[in-house]
Amino acid sequence: MKKFLKTLSVALASGAATLAMAVPAHAQFGGIVLDPTQSAHAVQQIYNEDKSLLNQAQQIASGSQRNLTLIEQLKQDVAIAQTALNTYQQSVTTYNTIFNNLKYFNTKQIWHTAENALLHGSVQNTYGETAGLQAQMNGQSQNSSLVWKIMNLAISGTSSSFWSQEVVGNSQRLSTLAHIEAMDAASSQCLAASGAYQASRTANLQANTALNTSVYDTSNNTNSEVEQLNLLNMQNAQRMEEEHAQGQLHACMAAQAAVTNMDKRNEASLTLNDANYKITQQANNPAYLGNSSQTWTTYY
C-alpha cells in the first residue's frame, strides 16, 4: 500500500511540473488556445487531491495497525478469561468435594464394630494354693514373682553339701535347677505382662471409648479435614501403644517356648548320657556268664 501511494504521488507531481512549465501559445489555424491561469489552478487541484489521497492512505494504514493491536489485545483478554474460568471451575470442584464429604462421609455406622470386652480370669483358690493369681491375671496386683512362688513346690536340696560336687555343664542336678529357675523367671514375667496389659486396657477404656465415639460421629464438627487428621493421629498413637503391649506378650510367649525347649533338651541329653554310661560300664565290667557269648554285653 505504501509503495503504491509513493508511486501515485510521484506521477502526479511530474504531471503538475510539466503543466507548470507550459508557455502561453496563440491559436494557429483556428486551434485551441492554452490558458496558463487555468493550468495553474488545475495543477494546484491535482496536488491537493494527491495530498488528500496520501492522507487517506496513511489513515488506512494507521487503522490497520490499530486493528492488529486490538486483535492481539483481544487474544490476551480471551486467555485471561479462560484462566479465570478454570480457576472458577476448580473452586466449584473443591466446594463440591467438601460438601459431599460432609454430607455423605457422615454415614459411618456400616464401619462400626464392637470392641472386645476385657476377659477377666476366675481362679479357684480352695486352700490358698493360688493366692493372688486371679488378681495378678486381671491387672490388680504387682506381685507376680510371689504369686508364682506360692503356687509351686519349693526346692529342699539347698545345703552346700548337696551342690558342692556338682559341675556346671556336667551336672543333672544343676541342669534341673536351671530349668526350674528359667521357668520361674519366664512365668513371673508373663504373669506381670498379662496383668499390666489388663490394667492398661482398664485405664484407657474411657479414652478409647471417647475416640471411638468421635470416629463414628456424624456431625460436621468432627468431619472437617483438620478434625479427621487429628483423629487419624490419635488412632495411630493408640495403635502404637497397643502394638507395644502386644510385643511384651509375644516376648513372654517366646520365653515360655524357650523354657519348654530347655526341658525337652534336658530329657534328650539325659537319655544319651544314660546310654553312654551303660555301654561304658558293660565294656569295663562284663557281666556275662563263663563260657558264654558276649551277647549281653551290647544289650541295653
Side-chain angles (χ1 to χ4, degrees), residues 1-76:
M1 175 61 73
K2 293 182 178 180
K3 184 177 181 180
F4 168 75
L5 293 176
K6 290 182 179 180
T7 304
L8 178 61
S9 177
V10 172
L12 293 175
S14 299
T18 303
L19 293 175
M21 289 186 298
V23 295
H26 298 284
Q28 296 179 357
F29 303 103
I32 299 174
V33 179
L34 178 64
D35 188 353
T37 302
Q38 292 181 354
S39 299
H41 285 296
V43 170
Q44 184 63 35
Q45 185 176 1
I46 293 172
Y47 175 75
N48 292 336
E49 291 295 336
D50 177 37
K51 187 175 181 180
S52 177
L53 289 174
L54 182 60
N55 290 334
Q56 291 179 4
Q58 292 176 350
Q59 291 178 1
I60 293 174
S62 177
S64 300
Q65 185 65 31
R66 286 197 302 270
N67 291 337
L68 181 60
T69 303
L70 290 175
I71 291 174
E72 294 177 351
Q73 184 64 38
L74 181 60
K75 290 181 179 179
Q76 294 179 359

Side-chain angles (χ1 to χ4, degrees), residues 217-251:
D217 184 30
T218 59
S219 64
N220 293 341
N221 292 332
T222 57
N223 285 278
S224 65
E225 183 177 359
V226 174
E227 184 67 18
Q228 289 296 311
L229 292 176
N230 289 335
L231 291 177
L232 289 175
N233 289 334
M234 293 305 299
Q235 288 175 345
N236 290 333
Q238 191 275 343
R239 185 180 296 107
M240 182 176 63
E241 295 299 329
E242 179 68 19
E243 290 176 353
H244 288 168
Q246 293 291 335
Q248 293 180 351
L249 296 178
H250 291 165

Side-chain angles (χ1 to χ4, degrees), residues 21-268:
M21 289 186 298
V23 295
H26 298 284
Q28 296 179 357
F29 303 103
I32 299 174
V33 179
L34 178 64
D35 188 353
T37 302
Q38 292 181 354
S39 299
H41 285 296
V43 170
Q44 184 63 35
Q45 185 176 1
I46 293 172
Y47 175 75
N48 292 336
E49 291 295 336
D50 177 37
K51 187 175 181 180
S52 177
L53 289 174
L54 182 60
N55 290 334
Q56 291 179 4
Q58 292 176 350
Q59 291 178 1
I60 293 174
S62 177
S64 300
Q65 185 65 31
R66 286 197 302 270
N67 291 337
L68 181 60
T69 303
L70 290 175
I71 291 174
E72 294 177 351
Q73 184 64 38
L74 181 60
K75 290 181 179 179
Q76 294 179 359
D77 294 341
V78 170
I80 295 174
Q82 184 64 42
T83 302
L85 179 61
N86 294 337
T87 303
Y88 169 76
Q89 291 176 346
Q90 184 176 3
S91 300
V92 171
T93 301
T94 303
Y95 169 79
N96 290 334
T97 301
I98 297 175
F99 176 79
N100 290 330
N101 285 340
L102 293 177
K103 182 177 180 181
Y104 301 108
F105 190 67
N106 295 347
T107 306
K108 303 177 180 180
Q109 294 303 320
I110 58 175
W111 305 333
H112 195 279
T113 56
E115 184 177 2
N116 292 331
L118 294 176
L119 301 179
H120 292 281
S122 179
V123 182
Q124 185 71 29
N125 185 23
T126 306
Y127 302 103
E129 69 279 4
T130 59
L133 179 58
Q134 180 172 329
Q136 180 63 46
M137 292 176 60
N138 295 328
Q140 302 169 355
S141 174
Q142 301 296 328
N143 296 319
S144 59
S145 297
L146 178 60
V147 171
W148 179 258
K149 184 177 181 180
I150 291 174
M151 296 187 301
N152 290 276
L153 180 64
I155 301 175
S156 60
T158 57
S159 62
S160 58
S161 60
F162 185 81
W163 303 105
S164 60
Q165 302 300 323
E166 303 299 323
V167 178
V168 176
N170 193 28
S171 170
Q172 182 179 351
R173 293 179 180 180
L174 291 180
S175 177
T176 303
L177 179 62
H179 183 210
I180 293 174
E181 292 172 343
M183 283 193 295
D184 290 344
S187 299
S188 299
Q189 181 186 12
C190 286
L191 281 177
S194 177
Y197 180 74
Q198 295 286 2
S200 66
R201 286 286 300 274
T202 302
N204 296 329
L205 182 60
Q206 182 178 359
N208 290 337
T209 302
L211 178 61
N212 190 59
T213 301
S214 298
V215 168
Y216 294 102
D217 184 30
T218 59
S219 64
N220 293 341
N221 292 332
T222 57
N223 285 278
S224 65
E225 183 177 359
V226 174
E227 184 67 18
Q228 289 296 311
L229 292 176
N230 289 335
L231 291 177
L232 289 175
N233 289 334
M234 293 305 299
Q235 288 175 345
N236 290 333
Q238 191 275 343
R239 185 180 296 107
M240 182 176 63
E241 295 299 329
E242 179 68 19
E243 290 176 353
H244 288 168
Q246 293 291 335
Q248 293 180 351
L249 296 178
H250 291 165
C252 290
M253 296 173 62
Q256 292 282 14
V259 172
T260 302
N261 290 336
M262 180 181 180
D263 186 22
K264 293 180 179 180
R265 183 190 180 282
N266 287 337
E267 291 179 358

